Amino acid sequence: MRYWLMKTEPDEFSIDDLAKKKVEPWTGVRNYQARNFMRDGMKVGDGVFFYHSSCAVPGVAGIAEVATEAYPDPTQFDRKSDYYDEASRRESPRWFLVDVKFKRKLKRTIALTELKDRKELDGFALLARGNRLSVLPVTKIEWDFILSLE
DNA sequence: GCCAACGTTGGC
DNA sequence: GCCAACGTTGGC
């Protein structure tokens, strides 16, 4: 079992939205590295930190899990979608996604500022300089440590 | 709203 | 293949 972190803007889709919907297809990832993590790395049952970005208190807000193997993101073929990619072909889709299933909301959001202060998290991908990946790996050690802050 | 740090695009 | 220009991300 592996662990991941997935970013979302809570104004668009928050942990409370996921709690209501239970399962959500993670559409719209258009970065190759993030795609590769979903397509090649994720397995059903993997743990996911649900991270709120571009908001008042950026940080880990909840826990989800990977609910499906990766499959082609349907929005890439939808001309009406913001995520439409005219260069992608159905016989060789460019973009993949997984479904994400709600597990629980954290008792409190563990803020980015707090994570930055912890020397235990030196090397954590989220804190890497200039990091902009919306999907990134978390080690078991990082996972357990961050949860211990809750 | 600003800006640093990236990824992508396109001219050459 | 290089690299400047541009667009996006995301913290502050």
Side-chain angles (χ1 to χ4, degrees):
Chain A
M1 168 165 177
R2 298 187 197 177
Y3 300 91
W4 310 92
L5 180 146
M6 297 171 90
K7 294 182 188 172
T8 172
E9 299 187 18
D11 291 346
E12 302 292 327
F13 192 84
S14 71
I15 188 68
D16 293 320
D17 294 323
L18 186 64
K20 270 181 239 157
K21 295 193 67 174
K22 308 297 183 196
V23 178
E24 180 73 4
W26 211 249
T27 55
V29 171
R30 295 294 181 267
N31 170 281
Y32 288 104
Q33 211 177 337
R35 176 205 69 182
N36 292 347
F37 285 136
M38 289 198 288
R39 188 187 62 184
D40 308 330
M42 288 189 178
K43 300 290 181 219
V44 173
D46 282 0
V48 174
F49 276 146
F50 197 92
Y51 179 89
H52 284 174
S53 67
S54 295
C55 56
V57 183
V60 178
I63 297 175
E65 73 177 29
V66 176
T68 64
E69 296 292 303
Y71 61 95
D73 182 341
T75 64
Q76 70 195 301
F77 305 120
D78 178 359
R79 292 181 175 279
K80 297 188 294 291
S81 169
D82 288 344
Y83 303 123
Y84 177 62
D85 182 347
E86 63 173 10
S88 186
R89 297 281 160 264
R90 287 186 185 274
E91 59 273 20
S92 60
R94 179 176 295 184
W95 305 112
F96 288 76
L97 55 70
V98 297
D99 288 2
V100 170
K101 181 165 72 177
F102 178 76
K103 292 282 280 186
R104 69 182 179 89
K105 189 173 175 176
L106 294 191
K107 298 190 203 71
R108 64 185 190 89
T109 293
I110 301 172
L112 175 63
T113 52
E114 202 173 337
L115 302 179
K116 282 180 174 171
D117 282 345
R118 296 294 190 149
K119 65 178 185 306
E120 291 91 339
L121 295 176
D122 284 356
F124 184 28
L126 179 72
L127 305 179
R129 180 168 163 276
N131 166 63
R132 285 174 11 188
L133 274 179
S134 62
V135 177
L136 51 89
V138 179
T139 67
K140 175 160 176 53
I141 290 172
E142 290 159 354
W143 177 274
D144 290 341
F145 177 74
I146 290 165
L147 279 184
S148 78
L149 301 175
E150 184 184 9

